[in-house]
Amino acid sequence: MEKIFIEHPWEDDDRSSVNEFNFKFVKEKVSKASVSKRANKLQNSTPGRFVRAPSEDVQETPNKIQPSNRKRKATQPTKSLHDEAGHAKQKKQKEVANVGQPKPSDKQLNGKGTASSKEVSLREKLVESLKGSRFRFLNEQLYKSTGEVSRKMFLEDPEAFRAYHDGYRHQIAQWCVNPLDRIIKSIQKLPKNFVIADFGCGEARLAEEVPHKVYSLDLVAANKGVIACDMAQTPLETNSTNVVVFCLSLMGTNLRDFLLEANRIMKVGALLKIAEVSSRFDNVKEFIDCVHKCGFLLDSKDLKHKLFYFFNFKKVRTVDKQSLKGKHFSLKPCLYKKR
């Protein structure tokens, strides 16, 4: 060792009293030879508690227990320990990086391209519940408002019109029969030169399914083939159509205006086809009488179906909107059950 710390003796000063003591260090001159001699002595001595043992040339006493030359066997291979440490480090880094991020879905975890059935089922139920709630709200508004008010509502919020028809398609999928299919089959049997007006056409499926010329009318144009207008004021010419269709579209509080507009654009002898939900009728005879006042005569009716009623009328006379007096009539709202 290059340097050592030498202890200095304590020297007691004269005590002025029994309880007073003063201590101070007294330096002792030590020669270099003395220091070197002490260092060699410590180096050759047995390592003590506070002195670092030399790395080489240490003579052990016979009484000392010789250290075993056998190496301690590892309880686990070193390579596996390094691998585990590496994996743990990577896992911790990922957890730190993903703090505040959404948890990966089953689709990301399993890598099979499909989410778990529970997750998909819950998501679909939530989405369908939201769509169904909005559809029911819009449906009730259409039954409680005039055609003009409903048109303004959809013009101000085009997304509402799409939401309504999305819900409507969902309802149709649950029906055992679509009344539009029956109307399409009946029109396909008519002469091909007949001109059809589809009031409340929706996505204009009728025009796609029949070979006839069809004017598709609705409050908002779902596609380029639809004429957007109020059902009480259409841009069609007077006495220009052979058939008018109301398939689940007699909605609102002013049905008389719709039927009088249909009477205006129809030729005498033209057909009026109506299909409506059966639960909307309190008195079928009363409804038929109201249609008669608008210039139509009942040709046939089918009330046998559980969900829908079907009516065929013919135009027998022209009725001017200004000449017809009386209260407006309407059908009961069709309120769909909550899903």
Side-chain angles (χ1 to χ4, degrees), residues 47 56 177 183 249:
E56 297 178 356
V177 62
I183 292 178
S249 55

Side-chain angles (χ1 to χ4, degrees), residues 20 22 50 62-63 69 73 95 104 159 168 173 182 192 200 209 219 282-283 289 300 310 323:
E20 295 181 0
N22 293 320
F50 301 102
N63 295 332
N69 293 328
K73 293 184 179 181
E95 291 176 353
E159 182 62 29
Y168 179 74
R182 178 168 175 174
K192 294 183 179 179
E209 299 289 339
L219 298 174
D282 276 334
N283 191 325
D289 292 340
S300 64
F310 299 89
S323 62

